[in-house]
Amino acid sequence: MFFRRKTFYVCSVCGFARLPRPLYKNGIPNVSLICRCCGFQPGYDDTELGYTFEAYRNEWIQNGAEWFREEEKPECWDLDEQLENINVF
């Protein structure tokens, strides 16, 4: 019996490591994808609003690092641990 392993991707803004697809593929933003953690939407937040990953991350953290989809936030969520997924320290 063959089991297909589920692949997840990391958000370049907040380090959330359970995105179903990459934010960008071959440099093209996946505009239908919004990070369930920080709410970043490629092609909108960067292109339309002019955010860099760092600027969006800093503003998100300054505003309390609230989850975009609060109902999906893990009980033992740790922001610093998650940020390590993108090496921002």
Side-chain angles (χ1 to χ4, degrees), residues 10-15 19 23-24 53 57 86 88:
V10 175
C11 176
S12 302
V13 174
C14 70
L19 293 178
L23 292 175
Y24 300 85
F53 294 153
R57 178 184 314 117
I86 51 172
V88 296

Side-chain angles (χ1 to χ4, degrees), residues 23-81:
L23 292 175
Y24 300 85
K25 188 169 184 177
N26 300 322
I28 299 170
N30 186 345
V31 296
S32 66
L33 181 66
I34 298 175
C35 178
R36 297 185 309 255
C37 179
C38 70
F40 183 83
Q41 182 179 15
Y44 176 72
D45 290 312
D46 52 355
T47 305
E48 296 292 322
L49 300 180
Y51 280 103
T52 62
F53 294 153
E54 294 80 15
Y56 191 97
R57 178 184 314 117
N58 290 336
E59 187 172 309
W60 175 68
I61 291 170
Q62 288 173 356
N63 290 326
E66 293 183 21
W67 272 62
F68 183 72
R69 305 262 329 237
E70 184 68 31
E71 68 275 7
E72 295 187 32
K73 180 179 178 181
E75 278 187 39
C76 298
W77 180 69
D78 184 287
L79 174 61
D80 293 333
E81 185 177 305

